[in-house]
Amino acid sequence: MRIAAIAALLATSALVTPLLAQAPAPTPAAPAAAATPAAPAAGDPAAGERVFAQCRACHQVGETARNLVGPQLNGLFGRTAGSVAGFNYSPAFKTPEVSSKVWSPENFTTYIRNPRAVTPNTRMVFAGIRSDTQIADLIAYLKQFGADGKRTQ
């Protein structure tokens, strides 16, 4: 049952539902804005590098990145979940329901807000990032790294 819930949360379309459920009720003047969740705002890669300091104990990016407690994060967006070669993923990430999903800024946003709720019983013990600005900055930073670890921007 948990695996199915994880798979549903990793799917971009399913990730929007928890965000809407937690969002404040729309005001009468702006019902359309609350009905359509926006993609993460463009962030500042330099600020995102500072946010990534919270991740650095377990994850690396760049040309010399390697797997640590967590997988290296080069080329994260557009990559299939649970697919970094040489990393021993928790069972939740090895199921077909999860391993067929692709990371996007939208589902990463939901995941990084509360990783333990999205994927319980994994080694990911990070409490999450609640600030929309910090998440957007982190996404901008991570987007700079191609699958080979070279900065593309």
Side-chain angles (χ1 to χ4, degrees), residues 100-112:
S100 65
K101 304 306 177 193
V102 176
W103 286 108
S104 68
E106 293 79 16
N107 62 22
F108 178 79
T109 297
T110 298
Y111 177 77
I112 204 63

Side-chain angles (χ1 to χ4, degrees), residues 8-69:
L9 287 172
L10 280 175
T12 302
S13 60
L15 289 175
V16 173
T17 304
L19 293 176
L20 289 176
Q22 296 172 7
T27 61
T36 306
D44 175 8
E49 185 171 8
R50 291 186 295 276
V51 175
F52 187 74
Q54 299 174 61
C55 314
R56 204 167 268 126
C58 298
H59 299 280
Q60 292 185 349
V61 290
E63 293 182 62
T64 61
R66 58 189 175 87
N67 297 326
L68 299 173
V69 173

